[in-house]
Amino acid sequence: MRAFTAIVNPAAGGSASASCLIPLGRLLREAGAELDVEYSRGMEHAADVARAAAEAGRVVLGVGGDGMVGCVGGALAGTDAVLGIVPAGRGNDFARQLGVPADAEELAPLLLEGEPRAVDAVEANGTPVLGSVYAGIDAIANDNANRTRLLRGSAAYYVGALRAVLTWRHADYLITVDGAEHRREGYTVVAANSGYYGFGKHIAPDARVDDGLLDVVVIRKAPRTLFFAVMRELADGSHVRRPEVEVMRGREVRIELAGKPGRRLPYGADGELPGVLPVTARVLPGALRVLAP
C-alpha cells in the first residue's frame, strides 16, 4: 500500500486546495494508505518537502494549480520519485493534458493503483518546469491575472489578456530552435511540452508530454482584432490553421529579444513568472514519473 505526502498550496483557487483534499484523503485512508499533509510556505519550501518525502519512499502529491504542480514535479524531475497530481488550482493545465481527474472518486483509484508513467519535463534557464515556457503578451496577461483578486479562473485570465492586448507593442524575437535561428515579430512565443496553458487554452494541440520534443508556437504580428479571434480559437486549437500562427519543433529553444535595446519582456513557466528574456528551454525526456492515465 502506498504512502503519500500531500503538499498543499493554501492560496491556489482560494480554499479549494485544502477542501478538495478532505474527501480524497478519506478515500485514501479508508483503503489503508498512509497520508501526511504539508502546507507550503512558498515554492522553495514545497520543493524541499517534496524531495524529503521522495527520499523516504513516499508518493508526493502536488495539491494546487500549475505553479504548485510544476514546483513539486520540477523538484522530482530526474529522480525515481513518483508524483501524483491533485488538481485544485485555477488552471490545472498540466493535469488536463495528462487526463488526471479532479473528482475524488475517480482520482483515488488512480493514486492507489495506477502505474507511474514517464513524461518529459523542461529545463528553463536551469529550473525544471512541466508545462510550457512562454514569452510575450501571455506572460503579461498571466501577471495581470495573478494580480486580480475579484475574478477567478478563465475570467481572470481573459480580463488580464484584454488589458495586455490594449497596451501591447509587437516584440521583435530571435528564436533559436536546435541551433537554427528564426527572426519573428509578433505577440508571443511558446515552447510547449503540454498542449494547454493559460487556464485551458489549447495553445499547442499536437504537443505530447512523452515525445522528447517541444512544440514552438509563434503568433506573429497581426491586427489586434485578429488576435482576439485567435484567443477565441485557442479553446479548440483551431488557431494553428491561421497563416499568422507558426509551429516548429525541437529539443532546445532559446527565446530572446532582437531589435532596439532597452525593452524588457517577462517569460512565464507553469503559471509563474521566473524572470525576463532571454530564456533557454531544453526538454528533459522521460524525466518525471507521474500517476496519470
Side-chain angles (χ1 to χ4, degrees):
M1 184 58 65
R2 286 171 173 157
F4 299 90
T5 294
I7 306 175
V8 180
N9 179 4
S15 60
S17 292
S19 62
C20 79
L21 195 57
I22 296 173
L24 177 64
R26 185 186 72 251
L27 292 172
L28 295 179
R29 287 170 174 141
E30 286 176 353
E34 181 183 333
L35 174 65
D36 291 342
V37 180
E38 296 276 356
Y39 287 91
S40 166
R41 298 192 297 268
M43 292 302 183
E44 185 175 346
H45 175 249
D48 288 342
V49 173
R51 284 187 284 262
E55 288 173 2
R58 304 175 72 87
V59 175
V60 182
L61 301 182
V63 186
D66 290 301
M68 173 57 72
V69 172
C71 170
V72 172
L76 304 180
T79 74
D80 291 330
V82 177
L83 171 70
I85 300 174
V86 182
R90 293 190 297 181
N92 305 318
D93 289 311
F94 196 65
R96 180 178 290 106
Q97 175 74 25
L98 292 176
V100 175
D103 179 74
E105 296 283 348
E106 297 179 53
L107 181 56
L110 174 64
L111 297 179
L112 289 165
E113 303 166 7
E115 288 296 321
R117 171 186 173 189
V119 301
D120 303 337
V122 184
E123 186 182 74
N125 281 358
T127 300
V129 298
L130 301 185
S132 60
V133 179
Y134 45 94
I137 197 168
D138 38 15
I140 295 173
N142 194 162
D143 187 38
N144 292 341
N146 288 346
R147 295 173 184 269
T148 299
R149 294 292 177 263
L150 299 178
L151 298 173
R152 297 290 181 188
S154 60
Y157 191 81
Y158 188 85
V159 171
L162 178 61
R163 290 175 55 200
V165 170
L166 293 177
T167 58
W168 176 252
R169 291 185 296 117
H170 286 103
D172 190 358
Y173 295 102
L174 177 61
I175 310 158
T176 306
V177 181
D178 290 345
E181 294 185 349
H182 308 270
R183 185 84 173 261
R184 299 289 187 270
E185 189 176 9
Y187 285 96
T188 191
V189 181
V190 183
N193 181 36
S194 166
Y196 292 94
Y197 87 150
F199 307 109
K201 303 298 186 294
H202 210 180
I203 183 66
D206 293 327
R208 293 179 53 185
V209 294
D210 56 3
D211 62 357
L213 294 171
L214 299 173
D215 281 35
V216 185
V217 181
V218 184
I219 301 179
R220 297 198 297 260
K221 185 177 181 179
R224 282 185 172 86
T225 52
L226 185 138
F227 183 76
F228 282 114
V230 169
M231 283 186 63
R232 291 192 296 271
E233 292 168 354
L234 286 172
D236 61 7
S238 60
H239 62 288
V240 296
R241 295 198 292 265
R242 288 189 176 271
E244 296 84 4
V245 179
E246 179 179 5
V247 180
M248 299 176 276
R249 288 188 177 88
R251 293 175 174 82
E252 182 172 299
V253 182
R254 180 172 175 83
I255 309 168
E256 53 193 312
L257 285 175
K260 295 180 180 180
R263 187 175 184 182
R264 289 165 56 88
L265 197 62
Y267 71 89
D270 291 343
E272 303 296 318
L273 298 171
V276 297
L277 292 180
V279 61
T280 299
R282 180 172 62 90
V283 70
L284 304 173
L288 183 65
R289 299 172 70 219
V290 60
L291 296 170

